Amino acid sequence: MISVETLKKRSLERIGEVHMEVKKKVIELIDAAYEEGIAVQMSSGYRSHTQQAAIYGQGRPGYHWNGVHYGSAGRIVTYAEPGESNHHSGRAVDFFLVSPEGNEALWVVDSRWRRVAALAKGLGFSWGGDWKSFKDYAHLEWMEAEKWAVVLKAGSSGPAVRILQKQLADLGYPLGPSGVDGRFGPATMQAVKMFQEKEELAVDGSYGPKTRTRLKMRTYTGVLKQGARGLAVGEVQRRIGVSVDGSFGPKTKEGVKTYQEQHGLEVDGMVGPKTWRHLFGK
């Protein structure tokens, strides 16, 4: 039978920058299933907005996001558009079973699959197979994440801090010479304070629930232009003062142009990194 260490190695390579506690629980799940003779492997974890667009496009041949075509044939596998998936937060993973030799992926939701789901729930995950509407049998989501990932502060370190630092850097907040290093030092604290002050939040330099929610809303998702749809478009519409419907149409384009003219930006009617940073950055 394939070794448990190989299953762990493959899984850790695929889940990417998930939170440390999720990574620990994934290892525990693989071990627990292996003890019962079940080989389980993770297929994905953290996803960028672009990766989510490609997945959302499956089963939607005409789907475009940020003016780029991501649609493809096949069956629909998710209803979460870019910016709406919990995979962005680093607290969700997907799994599948593998053959005893480890050379074949097994996607049949049988008693062994459900046993893995039960083991995962015992470790604190919720399971997409329990959802009332769209069933996602491969999806596991760490339910306790809000308790341990809520507050990042001076002295914190790891993937969650790196994700925070990258979000701040993308918005133009300075992180000092160390940059994105996964360590919550004085420069990161100061950047968080600057963000909190701009967003009229409590300025304490720690990354708690309100700061996290607001920063997630402000994180740059890529160029937005006519034809784009989604939550990010709605946030832009709120900021430039046009009707909020989440659809980047002609009126939104004109509103962006007006904003760009007023603030000395290149007037192209698209929300690229400079316009986004001016809208939501420091």
Side-chain angles (χ1 to χ4, degrees), residues 39-227:
V40 62
Q41 183 178 316
M42 302 301 117
S43 59
S44 69
Y46 172 76
R47 294 179 193 156
S48 67
H49 290 75
T50 300
Q51 289 170 324
Q52 188 66 27
I55 294 171
Y56 184 82
Q58 294 180 34
R60 300 178 175 90
Y63 177 66
H64 288 73
W65 180 69
N66 283 351
V68 178
H69 179 249
Y70 287 95
S72 62
R75 66 182 184 86
I76 290 175
V77 296
T78 183
Y79 284 91
E81 293 194 59
E84 299 176 352
S85 171
N86 281 326
H87 282 276
H88 299 323
S89 71
R91 65 186 181 93
V93 295
D94 290 343
F95 76 94
F96 62 98
L97 306 188
V98 299
S99 61
E101 299 78 16
N103 57 3
E104 181 183 358
L106 307 175
W107 293 94
V108 178
V109 182
D110 55 14
S111 60
R112 298 167 72 249
W113 187 290
R114 292 180 182 277
R115 177 55 184 161
V116 172
L119 291 170
K121 289 192 284 186
L123 290 170
F125 286 101
S126 66
W127 179 43
D130 291 331
W131 293 348
K132 298 302 182 183
S133 53
F134 175 76
K135 303 281 188 180
D136 189 347
Y137 292 103
H139 186 83
L140 300 174
E141 196 166 306
W142 178 238
M143 296 299 292
E144 297 299 314
E146 296 302 319
K147 294 181 180 179
W148 55 262
V150 164
V151 179
L152 296 174
K153 55 186 178 181
S156 299
S157 62
V161 177
R162 283 197 294 274
I163 292 171
L164 163 63
Q165 290 172 325
K166 186 177 186 307
Q167 291 173 325
L168 290 168
D170 286 346
L171 287 173
Y173 292 93
L175 297 174
S178 57
V180 180
D181 63 356
R183 298 181 180 182
F184 201 120
T188 299
M189 176 183 287
Q190 184 60 29
V192 171
K193 286 183 176 181
M194 292 171 66
F195 176 79
Q196 290 170 329
E197 184 175 4
K198 178 176 177 60
E199 295 293 323
E200 299 181 348
L201 300 169
V203 181
D204 60 6
S206 64
Y207 183 62
K210 292 182 180 179
T211 302
R212 184 180 67 252
T213 299
R214 190 67 59 83
L215 186 57
K216 182 179 178 181
M217 292 168 60
R218 302 299 184 234
T219 299
Y220 181 57
T221 59
V223 176
L224 297 176
K225 57 185 178 180
Q226 191 163 337

Side-chain angles (χ1 to χ4, degrees), residues 256 259-260 265-266 268 270-280:
V256 170
Y259 181 90
Q260 290 170 328
L265 300 167
E266 180 184 356
D268 58 6
M270 299 188 293
V271 182
K274 290 184 179 180
T275 300
W276 181 276
R277 184 173 294 179
H278 201 280
L279 284 164
F280 303 116

